[in-house]
Amino acid sequence: MDTVISVKNLSKRYRIGLTQKRADTFVGQLGQMLRAPIDNFRRLRSMSKFDREDESVFWALKDINFEVKRGEVLGIIGHNGAGKSTLLKILSRITEPTTGEIMIKGRIAALLEVGTGFHPELTGRENIYMNGTILGMTKKEIDSKLDEIVDFSGVEKYIDTPVKFYSSGMKVRLGFSVAAHLEPEILVIDEVLAVGDVEFQRKCLGKMESVSQSGRTVLFVSHNMGAVRSLCQRGLVLNHGKVQFMGDAEEATRNYTEKLTLQQFENQKSWSIKEAPGDDRVKILSLSVKPINGKVIEVKSGISVECICLNSSIENGVLAMGFEVQSAEGVTLIHHAGRVAKPTDLRIGTCYAVKVFIPPYILNKGAYQLKVFFGLNFVESLTPNPPILFFEVQNSGDIDEFVKEVPGMLRPRIKYESKVLPDRLIK
């Protein structure tokens, strides 16, 4: 009777597009043109038919089984593309599963993407009523909770301003506030809290905790392992659409991070303009982590973070870049931001190469992850989904004269001073 979500043999299948090989000869290209109508018709039919398994068939989820009890907070973790968002969309009835069955008891409120259900031409107040109605609230419910929703969101100053003028952070604050005050039996939250600032994230985590303590259920997707451990009782680890681990939240995060450290570390990434992280104002085209000295990142080498960004539309203000170095479990060790370009240097369509130097003898031997984000005037976020690099710091073994290995994630060089005191001070 206490089970509110039961998932049995759940699978979701998609058909992905494949690049067509272009013929090398004129005769071959002419033949492709003549066959094009028939080929296009076959492709249209294959989009809805899965008569056979081939390379175009992609299983986003495969044979997922789990149960969630009433009042439980379940953390869902995994790498990008593991199937977390697909699972939440199926549970929220946004899309249907290919196979399997789901049993859900109670009303669900879902916050899966920034500004979901918001109309850009309507004001924040009007969007509260529209979004609340979509989520299942009556006008009477919204009227009674309007002041609480506005106060929690922190956008009361702009509540009668059209949402198209809101930053992505303001949208997610308002969207989460509406969903959280719906008082659903089940609250589903995807990785959208990363858009908000630290203060708002703390408020959201507190709200989710109070929701679970009131007997309601929360499904929480996050890459922040610290938040998962502190908020959730159990954890579900997904890996390429399959359940890798299901159990205690502490053990789940440990299982995920241990598998993470076994993967090949990626010290460099680059993106096309279409796929680049950022929003329509700033795009991150490449990101890399390198040693300042030597060829391998070591405790004594120092770290150089190098990033190339494209200013697509910003004309005024201060363009700033920030970064976070986190442990493999998501604990933030370093958080810093600095100016990339002052207003007089801003040019639309210009690329900026930014380098940030982390001094030697800061990070200890171990696995770390780096997040990079951009902002306008050190206030407004320009990177809703910050890119992540995983890197490893090694130890050459000749750092200190006496101690080769030390515990902890930081290993700064600290100066010690001592002197001999006169004997008369000893009593």
Side-chain angles (χ1 to χ4, degrees), residues 321-325 332 334-338 356 371 373:
M321 177 182 129
F323 73 94
E324 278 190 0
V325 176
T332 299
I334 302 174
H335 180 104
H336 201 274
V356 178
K371 290 184 180 181
F373 44 89

Side-chain angles (χ1 to χ4, degrees), residues 189-262:
I189 303 172
D190 203 347
E191 181 72 90
V192 294
L193 301 184
V195 182
D197 53 33
V198 176
E199 179 188 354
F200 184 68
Q201 289 181 29
R202 193 178 295 115
K203 286 175 65 176
C204 291
L205 292 174
K207 183 66 177 178
M208 285 188 285
E209 190 171 1
S210 65
V211 166
S212 65
Q213 290 175 352
S214 64
R216 286 172 280 166
T217 306
V218 179
L219 300 185
F220 179 48
V221 169
S222 179
H223 288 289
N224 187 330
M225 298 299 106
V228 172
R229 285 196 305 272
S230 63
L231 184 68
C232 305
Q233 290 95 31
R234 291 199 303 153
L236 171 67
V237 183
L238 292 178
N239 185 18
H240 296 292
K242 297 182 179 180
V243 175
Q244 175 177 296
F245 181 87
M246 179 74 179
D248 179 73
E250 186 78 30
E251 295 180 13
T253 56
R254 189 182 304 115
N255 176 280
Y256 172 63
T257 54
E258 285 177 355
K259 297 288 185 183
L260 197 64
T261 56
L262 293 176

Side-chain angles (χ1 to χ4, degrees), residues 13-67:
R13 176 177 54 186
Y14 292 101
R15 188 178 295 281
I16 59 176
L18 297 176
T19 304
Q20 297 293 314
K21 186 177 180 180
R22 188 176 177 83
D24 297 329
T25 64
F26 173 75
V27 175
Q29 292 180 12
L30 184 61
Q32 284 184 340
M33 290 176 60
L34 295 175
R35 292 194 305 270
I38 298 174
D39 292 341
N40 290 336
F41 176 73
R42 288 175 177 171
R43 279 196 289 270
L44 285 171
R45 286 189 61 197
S46 68
M47 290 178 67
S48 58
K49 290 189 176 182
F50 295 87
D51 299 328
R52 67 185 189 279
E53 293 286 331
D54 56 37
E55 57 182 345
S56 68
V57 176
F58 170 69
W59 289 92
L61 296 172
K62 189 72 171 176
D63 297 328
I64 304 295
N65 293 274
F66 67 92
E67 290 185 349

Side-chain angles (χ1 to χ4, degrees), residues 383-399:
T383 319
N385 298 298
I388 300 176
L389 284 185
F390 295 95
F391 67 97
E392 183 180 23
V393 177
Q394 299 182 14
N395 185 357
S396 61
D398 59 351
I399 300 174

Side-chain angles (χ1 to χ4, degrees), residues 113-377:
E113 295 179 10
V114 176
T116 301
F118 282 0
H119 194 293
E121 299 297 333
L122 300 180
T123 66
R125 188 186 304 274
E126 292 166 338
N127 270 293
I128 289 175
Y129 279 92
M130 184 181 74
N131 197 239
T133 302
I134 292 173
L135 291 174
M137 298 174 73
T138 64
K139 185 177 182 300
K140 187 176 181 180
E141 281 184 285
I142 301 174
D143 287 338
S144 64
K145 297 176 182 177
L146 181 63
D147 291 339
E148 289 181 58
I149 294 172
V150 174
D151 182 63
F152 186 89
S153 68
V155 298
E156 59 272 7
K157 184 178 179 181
Y158 312 98
I159 197 63
D160 292 311
T161 301
V163 166
K164 65 181 179 181
F165 297 115
Y166 283 21
S167 67
S168 56
M170 293 167 67
K171 290 178 184 177
V172 76
R173 291 168 75 105
L174 192 59
F176 178 86
S177 185
V178 174
H181 287 83
L182 173 61
E183 293 188 359
E185 284 80 10
I186 304 168
L187 181 61
V188 177
I189 303 172
D190 203 347
E191 181 72 90
V192 294
L193 301 184
V195 182
D197 53 33
V198 176
E199 179 188 354
F200 184 68
Q201 289 181 29
R202 193 178 295 115
K203 286 175 65 176
C204 291
L205 292 174
K207 183 66 177 178
M208 285 188 285
E209 190 171 1
S210 65
V211 166
S212 65
Q213 290 175 352
S214 64
R216 286 172 280 166
T217 306
V218 179
L219 300 185
F220 179 48
V221 169
S222 179
H223 288 289
N224 187 330
M225 298 299 106
V228 172
R229 285 196 305 272
S230 63
L231 184 68
C232 305
Q233 290 95 31
R234 291 199 303 153
L236 171 67
V237 183
L238 292 178
N239 185 18
H240 296 292
K242 297 182 179 180
V243 175
Q244 175 177 296
F245 181 87
M246 179 74 179
D248 179 73
E250 186 78 30
E251 295 180 13
T253 56
R254 189 182 304 115
N255 176 280
Y256 172 63
T257 54
E258 285 177 355
K259 297 288 185 183
L260 197 64
T261 56
L262 293 176
Q263 71 178 16
Q264 184 178 2
F265 293 99
E266 194 171 21
N267 289 29
Q268 185 169 354
K269 280 186 180 180
S270 59
W271 300 270
S272 64
I273 294 179
K274 184 178 180 180
E275 299 174 344
D279 61 10
D280 55 356
R281 293 166 290 180
V282 169
K283 298 284 188 181
I284 299 176
L285 303 182
S286 71
L287 178 63
S288 64
V289 181
K290 302 177 181 178
I292 297 175
N293 301 305
K295 297 182 180 180
V296 179
I297 299 177
E298 297 181 306
V299 175
K300 65 178 182 179
S301 70
I303 300 171
S304 171
V305 178
E306 302 179 12
C307 179
I308 296 178
C309 70
L310 170 65
N311 176 20
S312 301
S313 63
I314 297 178
E315 294 182 294
N316 300 302
V318 175
L319 179 61
M321 177 182 129
F323 73 94
E324 278 190 0
V325 176
Q326 299 179 340
S327 68
E329 296 182 346
V331 178
T332 299
L333 307 174
I334 302 174
H335 180 104
H336 201 274
R339 186 172 68 180
V340 172
K342 54 187 178 181
T344 55
D345 295 332
L346 283 176
R347 301 286 186 276
I348 295 177
T350 300
C351 287
Y352 298 89
V354 189
K355 288 187 178 182
V356 178
F357 300 101
I358 302 175
Y361 302 104
I362 297 294
L363 295 178
N364 199 6
K365 175 184 177 181
Y368 300 90
Q369 51 184 334
L370 172 80
K371 290 184 180 181
V372 169
F373 44 89
F374 281 80
L376 185 60
N377 299 323

Side-chain angles (χ1 to χ4, degrees), residues 7-11 62-66 99-101:
V7 176
K8 296 180 180 179
N9 303 318
L10 180 68
S11 298
K62 189 72 171 176
D63 297 328
I64 304 295
N65 293 274
F66 67 92
T99 60
E101 63 179 45

